[in-house]
Amino acid sequence: MTANIRSSDAYVQQRLLAVAITMGDFMGAVRTVTDLMVGYNGCIVVDHLSLRIARGGITALAGPNGSGKSTLLKALARLLNPSAGAVYLDDRAITSMPTQAVARKLAILPQGPVAPAGLTVAELVEQGRYPHAGPLRMLRRRDHSAIREALALTDTTQFAHRPT
């Protein structure tokens, strides 16, 4: 399954690739981007990009340095405001959704040279469950089950107790 990508920018069309790989019944949100323009300090990095990433897949962005991958991810995660266009989660504009509602549908772990200190792999995965947790951010049985399932789906259970 390939995400549908349309952009008026030939560089983006040639360099930015989005691929969705189906993985069972994953309950992710449908993400739609319409005519997105986003950049930094008046310099447009992603120019008129439209795409739809359907439920039931894992999406990978691939392209050379400077092609707009990180910029697009920041816009998809509501960390960078677009200068035009919109990002939707399940047909709702992401900018109109409460932060906790967005956090329940998506998460982002930025690439960096160093992972957060003092956490095991399982504890890092656990952080993705906090938007779903009960009062006082207490994880419930279903949260621990979801953590085990995520580790199993990514074939990383054997690393659960390894430091990040």
Side-chain angles (χ1 to χ4, degrees), residues 74-150:
K74 288 175 185 175
L76 288 174
R78 204 172 75 170
L79 299 175
L80 188 60
N81 290 325
S83 46
V87 175
Y88 297 91
L89 279 174
D90 290 334
D91 298 324
R92 288 184 61 195
I94 196 170
T95 54
S96 69
M97 296 173 68
T99 300
Q100 188 170 24
V102 173
R104 285 183 175 164
K105 295 204 177 255
L106 68 85
I108 185 169
L109 180 62
Q111 179 179 333
V114 179
L119 293 179
T120 65
V121 171
E123 290 168 335
L124 185 61
V125 174
E126 180 180 297
Q127 290 189 355
R129 292 303 301 172
Y130 288 133
H132 305 274
L136 304 175
R137 293 177 42 154
M138 299 294 293
L139 296 178
R140 294 170 250 181
R141 185 175 296 133
R142 69 176 174 230
D143 297 308
H144 292 289
S145 177
I147 292 164
R148 285 190 302 275
E149 182 181 1

Side-chain angles (χ1 to χ4, degrees), residues 1-3 17-29 31 53-61 150 153-155:
M1 173 189 301
T2 303
L17 172 67
V19 180
I21 304 167
T22 302
M23 260 190 77
D25 236 0
F26 182 72
M27 294 301 294
R31 289 168 188 84
I53 303 169
R55 183 182 322 270
I58 294 176
T59 301
L61 296 175
L153 284 171
T154 57
D155 199 24

